[in-house]
Amino acid sequence: MGLFLILLVLTIGAFGFLIGRLKAIKLRSASQKKITSLNHYYGYYIAIFAIVPSLLVFLAITAFQGYIVEVYVLSDFIDLNPNLLASDKNLLLAQIVNTSKGIELFDEISPLVTDAVDKYIYIEELIDTLTYVIVLSVAGLLSLVAYVKIKSNLDSRKFVESFLLILFFTCSLVAIMTTVGIIFSLLFQTLKFFSQVPITDFLFGLNWSPQRVFVRDSGDLDTRDLQNAFGAIPLFAGTFLIAFIAMCVAIPVGLMTAIYLAEYASPNLRDWAKPIIEILAGIPTVVYGFFAALTVAPIVRDLGQNAGFTVSSESALAAGFVMGIMIIPFVSSLSDDVINSVPQSLREGSYAMGATKSETIRKVLLPAALPGIIGSFLLAVSRAIGETMIVVMAAGLAAKLTANPFDAATTITTQIVVILIGDQEFDSPKTQAAFALGLTLFIVTLLLNFIALQVVKKYTERYD
Amino acid sequence: MNKIKISAKNIDVFYGDKQALFDVSMDMYEKEVTALIGPSGCGKSTFLRCINRMNDVIDICSVKGNVSIDGHDIYDKSIRVESLRESVGMVFQKPNPFPKSIYENIAYGPRIHGIANSKTDLDEIVETSLQKAALFDEVKDRLHQPGTGLSGGQQQRLCIARAISVNPEIILMDEPCSALDPIATAKIEDLMSELKKEFTIIIVTHSMQQAARVSKNTGFFHLGKLIEVDSTDTIFSNPGNQKTQDYITGRFG
Ligand SMILES: Nc1ncnc2c1ncn2[C@@H]1O[C@H](COP(=O)(O)OP(=O)(O)OP(=O)(O)O)[C@@H](O)[C@H]1O
Ligand SMILES: [Mg+2]
């Protein structure tokens, strides 16, 4: 029904557009004076008046509809029991809505509910009708106003321009507000978490076992339990171990790829090789995940066992290795660009001194491109730290404090997944721990990205 | 007249399908300055870059003909291009010091060619090269600061110092003063008359006066052909070819 209403409004808008244009054409032929804007701007003028405010009204009504319905339908229940819990309210409401649709999940329906169902059907219909009336009259009325306002001296072109400005601004605001909102909700939940678990325990504790808290009744949590359950050091260690292994793969391979592409490959080869390498970064990580778990992990296990190590079937090495492959393009692509942008005159200067190609690369190009190359490393690290799926699938979930790459390991992101899989109580410290982890991760990657961008920027300024 | 140092015979150069030099033959003499002049795009740089085989660096560029230094064909298979460039230094139009310290800029060549045996050796090479390039006094207190921090004229002299650090026999200069002001230009010209006592110098220039001031012989290029080569005096006072006449009197180019 909402869709139909929107279609109606749009139709009015389209109609308004035609009318506005027609009026402009008439004005133009009738008056000798010049009309400020092209005809179709007058069409847009009416269309904007018809569509935008009425849709805003529609949005507003829809936003409040749920609240109004709830208050009205549940009024009897609240009269009976003023302290009705939010969860009970939701349950009741769901029951009422289902019953109104003829879905009967409960054998007995109390007369109070039957009443409420009637009220529900009534208020829903009322609000729907009202919505139609209000929205359509807003659209119609404003179109009319706009139509009347069209005169030869109305600068509708400027109006359209300002409207677009506002539209673009609002859209960018949406993105910004989302970021801010996410940060604040993270921050808020994290603070709640730290009010139950001291931040020092979280940052320096050596034991991570939130499931313990979950198993016990969350009503009477022992503070000692909380202390011992949320030490994030094993997660930090696991994260850095796996990221380190990944970088051990990605840095040499990526850098050498970059050098090959920038200095040795023919332009043709470079043109098609680079996109292909970049595809590596576009493969869904879940695919890497099962590749890591099913192919690489067994190989690592066999190799390790042959070499006399005890290797668990899930290992940090397998996950780190595959992750390293995944982030090769981050290193190679960016480094390639940076090496490429070292001015040709430096290459010639070096060749003219009698340096060979590899000497030129080692002694002139890489040092000159170093800041940018480091920037690419940092971006790759922040990608590695944020990666989840590969670790979930290939490195295991055990939060052990270990530096042994053949051991299972777990990371910050993985634990967030583990914590939030399945049903959750929103208030339990376990759930909030996920927010704390998320915030930590966010801060770390933000810092890394920030540093990386600064480094790259500093570099870019040097040769311009 | 000094002995012939560089001899180019029947040089054709192609960039892809496009021919940039047509049958250029020219001799250049030891411990003299030879100037190459001609309108833009006529192939002066291309010719210069044949002498240290810098054209090899450009994929699409191919060189036909014969260039010999001291009678040895430099395009011969047995010649290592690195050692050729060690003895044929080059200074570019735009100063291109490496983004390293002044000291490291000069030490670059001696290091890759293993010329210095010790740190003191290297220090000495750096100092004498800078002195020969008339730069030492200006930078002696900041040898370990970036070479890119010098002024344009200083940078160009740094590049000259870099070129002579490996003790070459020939120095090729491609419009070395085009980015410099008259004072810096004068310094470099003085430098050249000093350097020609030790090195054979080939210089590309757009400035007639500069060619007249510094060079003993001058070659005039036009549209990829060497039109005329003779002593600088003759070229500027009594050229044998009408095109040369037109060019040096500023009627075209
Ligand atoms: N890398 C290259 N690729 C293709 N063509 C080139 C290249 N370098 C030079 N050419 C062409 O070769 C011709 C000669 O160029 P060259 O640079 O030798 O001229 P020049 O005499 O040095 O000119 P200028 O005085 O402007 O430096 C020109 O037509 C130029 O377009
Ligand atoms: Mg040139």
Side-chain angles (χ1 to χ4, degrees), chain A residues 418-461:
Chain A
V418 171
I419 287 176
L420 294 184
I421 283 178
D423 292 335
Q424 293 308 320
E425 307 157 77
F426 221 83
D427 300 338
S428 87
K430 188 186 163 208
T431 312
Q432 284 158 358
F435 285 93
L437 288 177
L439 188 66
T440 317
L441 192 66
F442 179 71
I443 291 174
V444 171
T445 39
L446 197 70
L447 274 180
L448 280 173
N449 278 336
F450 179 75
I451 297 173
L453 284 180
Q454 288 303 312
V455 169
V456 172
K457 200 166 116 205
K458 193 168 158 233
Y459 163 78
T460 333
E461 281 165 359

Side-chain angles (χ1 to χ4, degrees), chain A residues 267 344-346 348-356 359-360 363-364 367-368 462-463, chain B residues 49 54 57 82 85 88 90 92 96-100 108-109 112-113 162-163 165-166:
Chain A
Q344 183 64 17
S345 65
L346 289 186
E348 299 215 323
S350 173
Y351 291 141
M353 291 305 299
T356 62
E359 282 164 352
T360 303
K363 299 192 160 196
V364 176
R462 243 172 69 190
Y463 290 115
Chain B
R49 292 162 62 96
M54 276 302 276
V57 176
E82 288 80 23
R85 290 180 191 151
V88 185
M90 189 164 200
F92 295 83
N96 58 349
F98 301 131
K100 299 171 182 285
Y108 186 77
I112 49 182
H113 295 297
R162 184 176 71 188
S165 65
V166 290

